[in-house]
Amino acid sequence: MMRAPTPGLPNQPVSEMEQNNTQQQQRASSSSSSRAHHFHHPARPAIVELFNLYLGCRGAQLKLNDSFREPPNKIQKRVTALNRELPPSNEQFLLDFEQLQIQFPDQEQLRAVTESVLISLVIQCCSHAPRAEFLLFALRSLCSIGYINWDTFLPSLLASVSSSETSVGQGSQPLAAVTSTTSPQSGILPSSTVVPNTSNFQSSNPASPLPSVHGIGSPTQSAAEPSSCATLSPTKPSDAICTDQQPARVNLSIRDCALSSLRQLCCKIILIGLESNLKPVTHADIFYHMLNWLVNWDQKQRGVDEFDSLKYSKPYKALIDWLHSCLDVVWLLVEDYRCRVPFYELLRSGLQFIENIPDDEALFTLILEIHRRRDMVAMHMQMLDQHLHCPTFGTPRLLPQATNTTGETVANARYSPITYPSVLGEPLHGEDLAATIQRGSLDWERALRCLRHAFRNTPSQDWWRRVLLLAPCHRLHAQGPTPGAVFTSEMICEATIDRIVELLKLTNSEANCWQEWLIFSDLFFFLMKSGCIDFVDFVDKLVSRLQDGDQHILRTNHVTWLLAQIIRVELVMNALNKDSRKVETTRKILSFHKEDRSSDPNNPQSILLDFISSCQNLRIWSLNTSTREYLNNEQLQKGKQIDEWWRQVKQGERIMDYMNMDERSIGMFWVVSYTMAQPACETVMNWLTSAGVTELLPGPNLQSNETLMVMQEVNPLPISLLSGFSINLCLKLAYQMEESMFSGQVVPSIAMVETYVRVMLVSPHALFRSLLTLLAQRNQTSLSKPAASILVFEMLNYRLLSLYRYQGKSKGLMYDVTKMVATLKVKRGEHRLFRLAENLCMNLILSMKDFFYVKREGKGPTEFTETLNRITVTTLAIIIKTRGVAEVEHLLYLQTMLEQILATSQHAWSEKTLRYFPPILRDTLVGRMDKRGMAIQAWQQAEMTVINQCNQLLSSSADPTYLMTYINHSFPQHRQYLCAGAWILMYGHPESINSLHLGRVLREFSPEEVTANIYTMVDVLLHHIILELQRGRSMQDLMLKACTNLSFFIWTHELLPLDILLLALIDRDDDPHALQIVINLLDSKELQQRVKLYLMNRGPPEHWLFSGTFKRVELQKALGNHLSWKERYPTFFDDIAARLLPVIPLIIYRLIENDAIDAADRVLQVYSGFLHYYPLNFTFVRDILAYFYGHLPGKLILRILNVLDVKKIPFSESFPQHINSSNAAICPPLDYFATLLLGIVNHVIPPLNNSTKTGPMGDVCSIRAQHNKSQATSQPGPAIAPEGQKPFYQIQDPGTYTQLILETAVIEILSLPVTTSQIVSSLVQIVVHIQPTLVQSSNGLHGASCGVGQSSFLPTSPSGGSSDSLGATRTTPSASGINTSNFVWRSGYTCQQLSCLLIQACGLLLAQLPQEFHVQLYMEAAHVIKESWWLTDGKRSVSELESAVSYALLDPTWAAQDNTSTAIGNVVALLHSFFCNLPLEWLDGAHLIIKHLRPVTSIAVLRIAFRIMGPLLPRLANAHTLFTKTLSLLLNVMGDVFGRNSQPTAPIEASEISDIIDFLHHVVHYEGQEGPVQANSKPRAEVLALIGRAAENLRPDIQHLLSHLKADVNSSIYAATHPKFVQNNA
């Protein structure tokens, strides 16, 4: 499997190590500066002379600076007096040094000077074997008396060596052995050899295990053994100088030899030092220097020609010697016995990525071991069958790219649909990575699998923009990277061609797939216009594919028609006009022409395809004169037929009757739309305005001199006609209608608005535009006109709401409308526009399926009204409880969001409501003070004044002049009690109130004041009922009077908006009478009559199918007096009844919360037909079943399901009988659940391979069976037979067909009258036994085509297939209850493929269900694992179990190939598929499975636990609390097996879990980086402390392996270099 590189791991990993060692450099620099001071120390000359003596440097004279000269002391005299032929014996050195030591009192300074001299001598004498050997002896001797501080000496030595190597490489200050100016025999030791360290050292990226130092590494060398090949014989200065003929080559050879000798000597010194206990920082310093040497082993000298470089880079003996010594050091550092440096540092070092590996077995062995252990870590990081995890478009949840952002940044962050696994299993994505994916690799095929699925399911244009890279030819050089993009233009080009070929094959099979072509052309236009496809390259590849690979499938003109759709796109015209290959491209385009041979020549599609080549030729002829010679004259002449038909149609007629066109006319008009788009557009506009205009008379309350003209109604254009229009015509038509609707002087007809909506719905990708943004761009003042705003809001609220949600624009629209609401709510008299905008916001908030921010900028109180604040909290509760919070940023923001809402809201939710809220919300809101008591007290204080004002204002004899006095001069605190005062005055006698005055005042109030009046009046009337009850009044009488009074407000005089009043009442559900009043209002004849009128006037819920003439309802009848007063602009779709569509579902929620089940049932019974008009009714059903799961009786569930148009929902065939079953305790058979899963496999899970190809795709070797639609619809199987692709307007809620299938399955599961445990147990049983079941099914149909049996080379792998490889006779039974007669055949997959995909489908389905199902899943999974017979069989050896577990935890797709699936493998794959689709918040419950598995007593179960939970840790990198919780749980499981007092079933060595130790190191770094591990990644201090505490309970040998994952600076290289610990330690 090709893996993408880990970030921070370039091909040459040197730079990583350089970045990772800043601290080592700083330490080396500081030590170098301190050593510079040592040159001035008076003991230095004596020490130098002493060493020169023992090094045999006869006649050595110190050449010290004058400032260093002092009178010679006795020791100096003694040393210089010696004049022996041979140096003294080595044994004498220590005595002489001790004599010198006595002369200097400051022993620490003397030690430092000695170290400095030794370092200088090492560098100078490295190439002289005897002297090097003496230096090693001297170091050992000094070490024996404790005179060498290795923690300062070794870093200084390495820093000096690096400086010397750097200067050699730069041609200055070469090593003494290399220079020609100083002979080794001269015995002169330069006094300033040490140069400040300027080299950079490196560290890289992670994973692999190893035995003892010399088990795999190079053989040890004696420290005293001379390096023969590194020794340079004494030479004269002239001998060391190269001849003129070969200066560079000789210098290069000498340099390499000297460097090799120096490094080998350093390694020997380090090996001596490692015998002592060094600090972790020193170990790290040594380690990174060794890695630096190994990585740069073949570094060349600059200025040498290529031939010489190649010649002298051959590894000769000196180089191999120091390589082996270096490896010896590395092995000693990482050996498990001492664990000076964790082996993990090798895994992330990048050592294995060196380009030119020397031909050396020892180094190659180390690299292989690194790769092996990296692969083990990668396995722990990745989920089983991860290559099958792919977007389904059945859920909007995607992987986030951005982290640690706030507000709108997160809301609009770019998302990545898939990730590619790095070499360490880390999920990676991004533009740079996408460019590295090679054609033909598994990652390439996975990307294409996602794209092909997208073409079949058409996600929104917003999704495409996020994930696609622009073609290179269309990309601006200044354009930055696209963070979430993972698909290159080459990928999208190939996937596009695949889809074309697929559709051509469907067309050739005589399947009716015209709708698929229309949907694809819409998307193809968008992709081409966006610049994601290079048109010229696309045409080349398409021609090549159709000529070479699929020669005989191009039989129709569909490809020509497809290209004709985009030929007017600017990028395409540029390619055909300006590109150097324009002639060749034009000829290739023309080559797609085929003569139409349709069996129905009068069919509109056939006519279009027959003339489309002529349309194309005419267009190309007008584009470019240089390509005209290649055009088909016959097709050009055929164009005259189009002109002739158009002239005949237009003879004497200005208008075409689009409602009475025959099929040929429809087809010819479609053709005209490609050749004469502008005239065709004009005829459509003429039709829409053909009925003329009429003057709209002003209402009775309005005297205006301004005339208002309104278009008369005609029939809107049928969507079947619009679907065949060219996209170019649709664009022109949309523009013309926008101009007429929003900028014209005449009020548009409903037909024009409806036609515009239909055009948008037909081409959601090519034509979508944000109306508010569009109007603001065209004319800044357009939205300031109430007429334009009203029309836009009506279109958005009643026609385009689902389209905006599908496009991912609901949040942005909500922010824009909210700003307008905030402005309107304080404007006096702006009730109509405000209430419409507020109702739109309600629908937008309720349409949210995932977490959202209440403010675009994410800060400050909301701009919502009180009503919207309350609905927002309810929506949040529904989202969190039914879908979960997907990202950690949302969890972190939730508290802030609630504070923003509650800052401007006075509401407190009742206990009954809060008990259904998710805990994360309930805990915040439960302590909120109910301010209703305070509100009643405030009312009682103001009551006398308010009643007095109301008497003057509302009495039958009220002074008219007081009306304006009250409006202009009354106090705001009194104005909010107007309706409450009126309520008290008219109690029982509503006719006594002056309704005209009350209505006038309320209309003159601002909308905000009217809302406050409603909420206050509700509180007062409920309080008044309680008081009257206390006085002995009848409850029935009180309710009657209350409803009579409310009817006065709502129906008799239409003084208040009904939707807000109902919402105010249900928000007081803690009062026993509030919901009763609501039920009475809903049962009222006035409301039900109003709803009936709405249903009569509005046509069917599928408005796009309505072909009749829309009726415009009078403004006052539609909206009532309160909203229509002073208004003249007519309504289009708005109505008082329509305003209730989002309110009734909220009433149902509140009734169920208060256990008013019968009332909820009655409301649903009365209004279920009305709710068919609710654009979110499918989402409402799904969410309410999930929100109240376990609390709904079967009768109410059936009533809720009737909200849907059941005939149009793809329920299973047997679903009705299961929900209507008289015996609720009987669980449906497994066949029912398997059929549900098969539907998800066929319609939701992306296909494993492309049906247009005949080769395998993905990991599973497969060829998907070809299904054409005529076969699919006739064969038995799922209730939902494969159908043609559905256009968006048919599935607006939920939005895509995959969402429809998946959420329908969710609704079915939630509706079943059986327990959660029965459902989950059935699903798990299917997964556990899936492969033997399918194998038997396949064998029954096709013999042994699936290859039953087990591979002989896996003798210890327990099989879930037909036989037991461990020698027993037991078999794994198939899942009883599944009708396997043609189960595999119905899927179109082989049994091996289907078994893996059913596991993915089951995980996806369970992830959509409420958390009650998750708890059962964890219990069932743990039960399956614990009861696995080969884990409970005590006769199995540890090695057998280890082998069995290792095989079981491989991807099921591997096991499926030889039919050796295991129950454990399938269950873990199910859990991983489940986790992959689970929101982050719900992952908190995943710990239950480990708790059910504990106590763990074997390493086999330990590995299973890590395999289950391990892949979650990378996903939790940003959720620190959840990460530490999961990590702590895994450490506790380790404690079960490797605890101090644990007693495992068999002795287990610590080395057996080296892969787990490596993995723990890696995830800790991953979490510290909050993403893929980089060179400078460090663990978080809190995590190190956590592991340190947990390790105290582990065995000492395990503690030792985890010693670096502690907060102890004395044992951990991470703690020793962590800024927090270093600072604390200082």
Side-chain angles (χ1 to χ4, degrees), residues 33 75 97 140-141 237 322-323 501 509 599 628 641 840 842 939 944 966 1015 1257 1320 1324 1344 1432 1445 1566:
S33 60
I75 298 298
F97 185 82
R140 283 197 184 90
S141 301
W322 76 255
L323 272 180
V501 172
S509 68
S599 58
R628 290 180 180 178
Q641 298 180 32
L840 171 58
M842 285 186 209
W939 153 251
M944 185 176 297
Y966 181 85
Y1015 284 117
M1257 190 164 297
V1320 174
V1324 172
T1432 57
V1445 169
Y1566 191 98

Side-chain angles (χ1 to χ4, degrees), residues 814-1024:
M814 181 189 71
Y815 299 139
D816 292 337
V817 177
T818 299
K819 285 189 175 296
M820 301 180 72
V821 166
T823 303
L824 290 170
K825 70 181 181 181
V826 295
K827 285 188 176 182
R828 289 172 54 173
E830 288 288 352
H831 299 288
R832 178 186 179 184
L833 184 57
F834 170 81
R835 294 299 171 192
L836 178 58
E838 188 179 46
N839 196 262
L840 171 58
C841 275
M842 285 186 209
N843 278 314
L844 287 170
I845 292 170
L846 291 169
S847 73
M848 301 294 179
K849 286 188 177 183
D850 54 359
F851 194 88
F852 61 96
Y853 292 82
V854 292
K855 292 196 71 175
R856 178 177 273 126
E857 53 278 0
K859 297 178 181 179
T862 68
E863 296 174 317
F864 289 169
T865 62
E866 176 67 18
T867 304
L868 295 179
N869 277 327
R870 298 181 183 190
I871 289 178
T872 300
V873 172
T874 301
T875 302
L876 277 177
I878 295 171
I879 290 173
I880 295 172
K881 190 171 181 180
T882 64
R883 302 177 190 272
V885 181
E887 305 305 333
V888 64
E889 292 85 4
H890 298 160
L891 283 171
L892 295 175
Y893 172 69
L894 180 60
Q895 190 62 37
T896 302
M897 180 178 180
L898 290 175
E899 291 172 1
Q900 291 174 308
I901 294 171
L902 300 180
T904 56
S905 175
Q906 305 300 315
H907 187 57
W909 285 262
S910 71
E911 182 181 345
K912 291 182 178 179
T913 297
L914 288 175
R915 67 176 174 168
Y916 286 100
F917 272 23
I920 194 172
L921 269 184
R922 183 171 60 244
D923 294 344
T924 301
L925 299 175
V926 72
R928 185 169 170 81
M929 185 177 68
D930 188 351
K931 297 181 180 179
R932 182 172 45 169
M934 298 171 60
I936 294 299
Q937 290 180 7
W939 153 251
Q940 292 170 343
Q941 292 173 3
E943 183 176 6
M944 185 176 297
T945 303
V946 171
I947 294 298
N948 182 42
Q949 291 176 339
C950 287
N951 279 324
Q952 297 182 61
L953 180 67
L954 303 179
S955 65
S956 56
S957 59
D959 184 359
T961 59
Y962 183 74
L963 178 68
M964 295 309 298
T965 302
Y966 181 85
I967 291 173
N968 295 323
H969 301 292
S970 59
F971 293 123
Q973 61 266 33
H974 293 156
R975 291 156 70 99
Q976 65 176 320
Y977 298 120
L978 174 62
C979 288
W983 175 274
I984 297 297
L985 287 180
M986 71 180 186
Y987 184 68
H989 304 281
E991 68 280 357
S992 64
I993 294 295
N994 189 330
S995 60
L996 292 178
H997 281 196
L998 180 59
R1000 172 69 185 279
V1001 172
L1002 288 174
R1003 286 189 289 268
E1004 291 290 346
F1005 276 3
S1006 69
E1008 188 177 40
E1009 290 176 316
V1010 173
T1011 301
N1013 263 272
I1014 293 173
Y1015 284 117
T1016 305
M1017 182 184 73
V1018 166
D1019 287 343
V1020 170
L1021 76 87
L1022 293 174
H1023 177 68
H1024 189 263

